[in-house]
Amino acid sequence: MLAVTTVIASLALSGIAQSPEKRDKAQLITACSVPNTVALTFDDGPYIYMTGVVDTLNSAGAKGTFFLNGDNWSCIYDDARATQVQYAYDNGFQIASHTWAHKDLTTLSQDEIDQQMSLTEEAIRKITGAIPGFTRPPYGNYNDLVCEVAGSRGQTLVTWDFDSQDSAGASVDQQKQLYDDVVEHHP
């Protein structure tokens, strides 16, 4: 018993065992690091358009990242949705997490944040065989606790530097104008 206590105490003192306050925060990506490039990302799926997006981008020689929820519009485990996720993955698209239920992670406890991330990571692993390395926090909201939990899970957080305002109700024409404006100013 004394030997076990000594080992535990020495691990804690040596820094091998870290308390939650000591863990490394997740890396945060907010923009492309290569000039004149764009990352195509799609949030809140899987959804009915996923296969069509994959096919359209493939025909143009492009790829993108799907940030998926576990249970937002529908459940990721539904046969049709799981098939779409596998299809995108098999076609070379990156599959990443957008958390289980699209909750604002900054309003949750450490355990709740961890659960939102772990449920989605596990679903993606079960469907594709791969564990995602990236998480997009819903609404782009994050704080130190979100960064700490993501870091403890080996996740990199990804937000954006351009928003088409689709979730704010912008019309298709308004969205097209926003895209045209950003391309005009950032060739």
Side-chain angles (χ1 to χ4, degrees):
M1 178 68 172
L2 181 59
V4 171
T5 305
T6 304
V7 170
I8 291 171
S10 65
L11 286 175
L13 292 174
S14 70
I16 294 172
Q18 293 185 1
S19 68
E21 296 80 34
K22 300 278 188 194
R23 73 181 95 140
D24 291 334
K25 291 182 182 178
Q27 177 187 358
L28 176 65
I29 299 172
T30 60
C32 292
S33 60
V34 178
N36 300 319
T37 62
V38 62
L40 299 174
T41 64
F42 305 89
D43 295 359
D44 300 337
Y47 197 59
I48 58 175
Y49 304 109
M50 190 170 182
T51 303
V53 170
V54 168
D55 291 342
T56 299
L57 291 176
N58 271 342
S59 69
K63 298 293 180 195
T65 301
F66 289 96
F67 287 95
L68 305 180
N69 297 119
D71 195 8
N72 188 15
W73 297 102
S74 62
C75 183
I76 195 170
Y77 288 116
D78 291 348
D79 287 342
R81 302 299 168 242
T83 299
Q84 291 171 324
V85 172
Q86 187 67 54
Y87 182 79
Y89 181 78
D90 289 347
N91 275 275
F93 286 74
Q94 185 173 33
I95 305 298
S97 173
H98 197 37
T99 73
W100 188 256
H102 204 274
K103 294 181 179 181
D104 182 345
L105 299 179
T106 64
T107 67
L108 304 180
S109 71
Q110 177 179 331
D111 289 341
E112 291 169 323
I113 296 166
D114 190 70
Q115 181 183 41
Q116 285 291 308
M117 291 179 177
S118 68
L119 287 171
T120 309
E121 291 166 22
E122 181 64 11
I124 292 169
R125 186 199 61 76
K126 285 180 178 178
I127 293 167
T128 67
I131 299 170
F134 298 91
T135 296
R136 173 166 282 165
Y139 314 104
N141 294 346
Y142 60 91
N143 57 20
D144 284 345
L145 184 58
V146 172
C147 292
E148 289 168 6
V149 173
S152 75
R153 303 192 62 74
Q155 292 290 309
T156 297
L157 293 178
V158 180
T159 60
W160 53 86
D161 63 350
F162 169 75
D163 186 352
S164 67
Q165 300 296 309
D166 60 321
S167 64
S171 70
V172 171
D173 287 338
Q174 289 169 323
Q175 292 177 56
K176 286 180 180 177
Q177 186 59 54
L178 288 168
Y179 279 105
D180 289 344
D181 290 347
V182 78
V183 168
E184 182 178 316
H185 294 97
H186 301 287

